[in-house]
Amino acid sequence: MVFIFWALLIFILYTYLGYPLSVWITAKISPRPIIKSSSIQETPNVSVVIAARNEESAIIKKINNLYASDYPDEFLEIIIISDGSNDATGKVITEYQSANPDKNIHLIEFSHSLGKPSALNAGVEKANSEFIVFADCRQEFDSLAIRNLMQNFSDPDIGAVSGELMFRQSPDSKIAAEMGLYWRYEKSIRKNEAQSGSVVGATGAIYAIRKELYRPLPAEALVDDVLTPLNVVMQGKRVVFDSAALAYDFVSVDEKQEWRRKVRTLAGNWQLLEFNPELLNPFKNPIFWRLIGHKFSRLIVPFALIILFLTSVALPGTLFNLFTALQVLFYLAVGSAHAMPSVRKNRLFKFSYFVVVLNIAALFGFYYWVTKRCHLLWLASEQKTPPKNKIPILMYHALEDSENPAGFDNMSDQVYVVNTESFRKQMACLKADGFKTLLIDELLALERFPDKVVVLTFDDGHRSNWALACQILKEFGFKAEFFITTDRINTQDFLTESEIRALAEAGMGIGSHGVTHRFLNDLSGEDVLFELNGSYSRLAGIIGRDVSGISFPGGRIPEVPIEKYAWCCTSRVDYFEGEGTALPRFALKHDTSLSTFKRIIHCDPMIARKAKARYLILKAIKKLLGNNCYSRLHRYLVR
C-alpha cells in the first residue's frame, strides 16, 4: 500500500508539474522551429467554416469581423452551416447575401440539428479552398489572424495551426480570475509543445488545416478541436500553435456555463479512445507520450486523488497522518470556496477550488462516456437557446383545517400536510409580489420565460385538493397541476372521479401519480408499464383528454422509457431553467415558514443550495438502505 501511495503521488505531480516541465525542457534543448518563407503564396484562398445554431444576433457581426481583416475579400470564402436553427439565423444571412452580392458567402441549412461535427463535415465538403479556417460565432478575430495562420503553411511539415484565444474581462463573469489562471497555464504548455514538435489539440475558436488532411468527424464527437488535429498528426504532419493569430472572447458568464464546457471537453477526450484506438499505439502515434501526459493523465487524476486519500488514511505513521491532514484541509478550503464565493478572492482558495472542480468534471465526463450519454452534453453556446429565468416549481400534497383534517394515520404523511391558513398566506404572498401561475404544458411551450412565474403542483390526489386547495386557488386566479394515484380514486380521503373532472373543468392540470403509489424503481419492467399505462388510461378516460405528465411516487425514477408522457416531475431540488423534461421541485411542508416560502419563490441561491444538499444526502441514504428500509426508518424518526 505504501508503494501505491507514492506511485499515485508521483503520477499526480507529473501530470500537473512534471509534464509541463518536460515539454519546456524539450523546447529549450531540442527546438523545432517553423520555417516561414515565401514559398507559399502570400494570400492563398481560404475557406472559413462556421457551425451556427440560433445565432441571429451574432452571425452578421462575425461576418463583418472577418471581412474587416486585412485578408483580401477576393481570397476569402465564408461557409456558414445553420444547424437546425429555430430563430432567424438563416434569414439574416440570406438578407446579407442579397445586400452584398460581391461577397463569397455560402449558407447550408439543416432542417433539424445534426450536431456540430456533422455541420463541420458539410462545411469542409463545400469548401473550394486549399486551406480551411474553423471559427465560432462568438469570438472576434484580430485583423491579422487569418494572415498569421496562413504564414505557417509555408513549412510543408505543418498540417494544422492553432491560434491563440485571448480572454477579456466580463463584468458579469463570476470566474474570470480562475479561468484566466488556467488558460495561462494551458497556453504555456501548448507553446512549448509547438516549439518542440506538435501540440495536442487546437483552440476550437480559431484553427486552420490543409483541406486534404481533414477527415470527417463522427456525428457524436464532442471535441472536434482535439480529434481533427490528432488526425492530422497521425498522417505525419505537425500541428503548431501561433500566438500571433489572435481571437478574443469573454470569460464564461457563470460557473454553470463553464462547468458544462469542462464536462463536455473531458468526456470528449475519453471518446478519442473509441474513435481512433491507434492513438494509444506508440509505434503509430508520433505524439503518444504527449497525448498521455497532456490529455489522458488528467482524466485519471481524479481517480488517483480518491485512492491517494484512502491510502493515506489507511497507512500508519506520522508522515501519512500529515498527508491526510493536508488533504482534509485542502478539501475543506474547496468546500468553503464553493459555499461562499467571496472566499475565492484569496488566491490559495481560488486555486484549490478550480483544481478540484476540474477533477470533479473529469469524473462526470467519464460517467457520461462510459454510460454512452455523451450526446446529452452537446449544450454548447454554439447550440444555445434564448436565456430563460429560473422557475420555482412547488410541490404540495394535502391541506387541512379544523373542520377538514387530512386523516393520515402516520406522521410521515402528516409532515407534508399544510394548514389551510398557511396556504392562503402563501397564495396571498404570490399575488402581492406580482407572480402568476402556469401549467407545465404552458411553461414548456414558451421560448423565453417571463419574470415572476411559479408552477404549483399537488401529489397523491387527496380530497383536500378539490375541497380546499382548488377553492383557494380560484380566489386568487391561480391554477395548479394535480397528480392522481388512480387506485385511490373514490376511496376515503381521496378524490372522486367527479371531483377530478371538476378540477379539469376549473382549468387545473391533471397528471398521473401511478396506479398504486408503489416506488417505480423497485418494480419489474412489466409492473412499471402497468403503473404508467394504467394510470394514464384511467385519467384520460375521466377528463376526456390526453394526460401530458407524471409525478413519480416518492421521486423514484424508473429505468424504462415513459413514452406516453411528455414530461415528468421529480423530487430533485432545484429551480427549472428550461433544460430537459424532468422537472425539479421544492417540497412545501407543514412547518415551511412564510419567510422561507418568499425566499424560495424569489430564487434565493442560499436556500436552494441548502435544499439541494439535503436532497443529495437523503438520496444517498435511500440508495444505501433501499426504499423499504428507508421508509420504515423515516416513519420511526418522525413519529
Side-chain angles (χ1 to χ4, degrees), residues 69-71 141-150 244-246:
S69 73
D70 84 327
Y71 212 79
F141 273 24
D142 180 79
S143 61
L144 294 173
I146 298 177
R147 187 177 296 278
N148 287 331
L149 286 173
M150 290 302 106
L246 299 175

Side-chain angles (χ1 to χ4, degrees), residues 9 122 230 235 379 456 463 474 488 512 549 571 577:
L9 183 61
L230 287 174
Q235 295 173 75
L379 297 169
L456 307 176
R463 58 182 169 79
K474 289 194 289 185
R488 295 176 175 176
S512 168
S571 59
E577 298 184 61

Side-chain angles (χ1 to χ4, degrees), residues 354-369:
F354 197 70
V355 168
V356 172
V357 167
L358 278 174
N359 281 285
I360 294 174
L363 290 173
F364 274 81
F366 175 76
Y367 166 77
Y368 278 99
W369 173 68

Side-chain angles (χ1 to χ4, degrees), residues 126-141:
K126 178 73 173 178
N128 296 304
S129 307
E130 181 184 356
F131 299 98
I132 308 292
V133 172
F134 294 103
D136 291 335
C137 288
R138 188 177 70 248
Q139 293 81 11
E140 176 185 338
F141 273 24

Side-chain angles (χ1 to χ4, degrees), residues 60-244:
I60 299 303
K61 181 180 179 181
K62 181 66 177 185
I63 293 172
N64 289 332
N65 169 239
L66 292 171
Y67 280 123
S69 73
D70 84 327
Y71 212 79
D73 291 1
E74 59 268 27
F75 296 108
L76 197 61
E77 176 185 50
I78 299 176
I79 301 170
I80 303 166
I81 308 91
S82 178
D83 182 30
S85 297
N86 50 30
D87 66 354
T89 298
K91 180 181 178 182
V92 297
I93 295 171
T94 301
E95 291 174 350
Y96 187 94
Q97 289 174 307
S98 299
N100 300 272
D102 58 318
K103 305 295 187 184
N104 190 10
I105 301 175
H106 302 285
L107 171 64
I108 301 173
E109 291 191 272
F110 292 168
S111 59
H112 60 280
S113 178
L114 299 179
K116 186 178 180 181
S118 297
L120 295 181
N121 291 340
V124 173
E125 184 178 1
K126 178 73 173 178
N128 296 304
S129 307
E130 181 184 356
F131 299 98
I132 308 292
V133 172
F134 294 103
D136 291 335
C137 288
R138 188 177 70 248
Q139 293 81 11
E140 176 185 338
F141 273 24
D142 180 79
S143 61
L144 294 173
I146 298 177
R147 187 177 296 278
N148 287 331
L149 286 173
M150 290 302 106
Q151 287 177 354
N152 291 274
F153 291 111
S154 60
D155 187 333
D157 288 337
I158 304 301
V161 185
S162 172
E164 178 169 358
L165 186 60
M166 303 293 289
F167 284 106
R168 294 166 171 163
Q169 180 75 35
S170 168
D172 297 324
S173 177
K174 301 176 184 176
I175 56 169
E178 296 98 314
M179 184 61 193
L181 176 65
Y182 169 76
W183 192 237
R184 288 194 298 272
Y185 168 77
E186 182 66 23
K187 286 195 296 186
S188 69
I189 296 174
R190 292 189 186 189
K191 287 179 181 178
N192 288 321
E193 286 176 338
Q195 290 169 7
S196 58
S198 287
V199 296
V200 184
T203 303
I206 176 169
Y207 72 106
I209 71 165
R210 299 181 190 271
K211 182 183 177 182
E212 63 184 293
L213 300 176
Y214 183 81
R215 296 295 178 265
L217 296 164
E220 62 273 23
L222 294 175
V223 284
D224 65 278
D225 51 356
V226 178
L227 185 55
T228 292
L230 287 174
N231 286 339
V232 170
V233 169
M234 294 296 282
Q235 295 173 75
K237 298 295 183 179
R238 290 176 64 190
V239 177
V240 297
F241 177 82
D242 192 335
S243 60

Side-chain angles (χ1 to χ4, degrees), residues 231-279:
N231 286 339
V232 170
V233 169
M234 294 296 282
Q235 295 173 75
K237 298 295 183 179
R238 290 176 64 190
V239 177
V240 297
F241 177 82
D242 192 335
S243 60
L246 299 175
Y248 300 95
D249 197 6
F250 289 102
V251 178
S252 301
V253 173
D254 57 32
E255 292 170 329
K256 194 169 185 179
Q257 182 186 38
E258 180 59 20
W259 168 260
R260 286 178 186 150
R261 188 199 66 80
K262 288 187 182 78
V263 175
R264 186 174 65 246
T265 299
L266 292 163
N269 287 341
W270 281 110
Q271 285 183 320
L272 300 174
L273 298 174
E274 56 186 288
F275 292 153
N276 192 348
E278 289 188 347
L279 290 171

Side-chain angles (χ1 to χ4, degrees), residues 490-505:
N490 297 327
T491 65
Q492 184 178 0
D493 295 329
F494 291 93
L495 294 168
T496 65
E497 290 190 359
S498 60
E499 288 171 336
I500 294 171
R501 276 192 292 270
L503 283 171
E505 291 167 0

